[in-house]
Amino acid sequence: MARETFTIEGAGAISLTAEAEGDAYAIPVLLAHGGGQTRRAWRRVVSELAQAGFRAIAFDMRGHGDSDWSPCGAYEMRDFAADLVAAASRLDQKPALVGASLGGLAGLIAEGELAPGSFASLTLVDIAPLMEPSGVMRVVGFMEEHVDSGFASPEEAADVIARYMPHRPRRGASDGLKSYLRQKPDGRFYWHWDPVFIRNIMSARQGDPDSQERQSAMLSQAAANLTLPLHLIRGGSSDLVSEEAVLHLRQLAPHAEYTDIADATHMVVGDANDAFSAAIVDFLGRYHSSDTAQPQGTREL
């Protein structure tokens, strides 16, 4: 199936770059990546969803990849959530939403607080209202470490990633990795996302030690408000979402389904793509019948 690249208007006129694959009138599935990633994180998932009969739409979140950077540094959780609501509103069918890490948090706020009823279902990929502080800081620390200094070469970036994910075989400076980097006039390579995004996070944590606790309370309330089909997929070796966090979410939303993927870490999609894709295709197939997808005029996406 041919893959299309286009733009979506997010909140505040932010332009978001997206790719889609699958029949134009099939049930849409929006895929929102984690912090520091791009739509490329879903490349295999997009094809597998399309083959399963869905219209898979993966996009770069604001400040990431080929999407606009916010001119005023608007990277609060509600800013990302507002983009999801805006994207959903431009579809002629209510989409299913699959959100990994940052994308999942934004999905919780979008559906559970900002605009209930925007999505047909929500899949959270290794993210929950309660997060292990050590796991959060490991992710944030990795993102912050080279944000200003960059890398002398893509090979150096590959070495850094290998140290961050020692459970995976080391990968060289592939085209995939290079898509996450941009070379600046100084000759060095930098992550292809807005440094303000991670600086805002670090500033909030350093200036307000209780910020994560308040965020957890906000996310917990949003989760308690959810009535749509909900699916949590956890990496069995995740250092960010514990079994206690799973229990907490299922207490807030007793109807939530839960899939634990053995041997996967927080980076579930990259660690176990086949098992992950099978889990979401099964969930979406049970809740979203292709019989309900009918032509309703011209699509904007």
Side-chain angles (χ1 to χ4, degrees), residues 218-285:
M218 174 182 70
L219 293 166
S220 294
Q221 183 58 61
N225 293 340
L226 297 177
T227 58
L228 81 177
L230 178 63
H231 186 197
L232 170 62
I233 299 178
R234 173 181 178 266
S237 299
S238 173
D239 63 350
L240 200 143
V241 178
S242 65
E243 290 288 356
E244 289 75 18
V246 174
L247 178 61
H248 175 253
L249 175 63
R250 300 186 82 181
Q251 289 172 336
L252 295 170
H255 65 288
E257 296 192 19
Y258 172 48
T259 300
D260 186 89
I261 297 184
D263 300 324
T265 67
H266 180 58
M267 310 296 286
V268 180
V269 181
D271 287 346
N273 186 85
D274 291 346
F276 172 79
S277 294
I280 62 168
V281 167
D282 173 70
F283 173 76
L284 295 174

Side-chain angles (χ1 to χ4, degrees), residues 2-291:
R3 188 168 296 191
E4 308 165 38
T5 301
F6 49 89
T7 60
I8 309 169
E9 185 177 342
I14 289 285
S15 179
L16 307 172
T17 299
E19 290 182 354
E21 188 174 326
D23 187 277
Y25 296 110
I27 295 167
V29 181
L30 284 177
L31 298 153
H33 61 73
Q37 295 184 313
T38 71
R39 65 188 189 274
R40 186 180 174 85
W42 304 107
R43 63 193 184 283
R44 288 179 58 190
V45 177
V46 165
S47 294
E48 287 160 3
L49 284 171
Q51 291 168 9
F54 297 96
R55 172 73 165 172
I57 304 167
F59 67 96
D60 292 337
M61 298 182 77
R62 64 168 58 206
H64 291 71
D66 298 320
S67 291
D68 284 351
W69 291 9
S70 170
C72 58
Y75 297 118
E76 296 293 328
M77 200 61 64
R78 289 185 177 91
D79 298 313
F80 291 106
D83 288 337
L84 294 179
V85 173
S89 72
R90 287 165 171 75
L91 292 164
D92 59 20
Q93 294 182 71
K94 193 180 293 187
L97 175 62
V98 179
S101 200
L102 172 64
L105 296 177
L108 274 174
I109 297 301
E111 179 67 25
E113 178 186 309
L114 292 188
S118 293
F119 303 97
S121 67
L122 174 60
T123 297
L124 303 174
V125 184
D126 208 66
I127 202 67
L130 293 185
M131 292 167 275
E132 291 296 309
S134 60
V136 172
M137 289 312 300
R138 191 177 80 88
V139 174
V140 171
F142 169 74
M143 294 181 67
E144 184 194 30
E145 186 177 2
H146 292 274
V147 69
D148 292 316
S149 60
F151 307 95
S153 66
E155 289 73 19
E156 183 183 347
D159 288 338
V160 170
I161 292 172
R163 291 195 294 272
Y164 176 65
M165 296 188 291
H167 62 288
R168 289 191 194 177
R170 185 193 181 283
R171 298 174 183 173
S174 64
D175 289 341
L177 172 58
K178 291 174 183 176
S179 73
Y180 285 94
L181 300 167
R182 288 296 181 272
Q183 189 173 23
K184 292 187 177 182
D186 63 3
R188 295 184 67 80
F189 292 81
Y190 296 83
W191 295 126
H192 194 36
W193 41 264
D194 190 348
V196 174
F197 165 63
I198 197 66
R199 288 175 186 146
N200 285 355
I201 293 175
M202 295 305 295
S203 177
R205 291 184 176 278
Q206 292 166 1
D208 182 2
D210 297 326
S211 62
Q212 184 170 340
E213 185 176 337
R214 280 201 304 278
Q215 176 176 273
S216 293
M218 174 182 70
L219 293 166
S220 294
Q221 183 58 61
N225 293 340
L226 297 177
T227 58
L228 81 177
L230 178 63
H231 186 197
L232 170 62
I233 299 178
R234 173 181 178 266
S237 299
S238 173
D239 63 350
L240 200 143
V241 178
S242 65
E243 290 288 356
E244 289 75 18
V246 174
L247 178 61
H248 175 253
L249 175 63
R250 300 186 82 181
Q251 289 172 336
L252 295 170
H255 65 288
E257 296 192 19
Y258 172 48
T259 300
D260 186 89
I261 297 184
D263 300 324
T265 67
H266 180 58
M267 310 296 286
V268 180
V269 181
D271 287 346
N273 186 85
D274 291 346
F276 172 79
S277 294
I280 62 168
V281 167
D282 173 70
F283 173 76
L284 295 174
R286 286 185 287 107
Y287 284 98
H288 309 297
S289 169
S290 59
D291 294 339

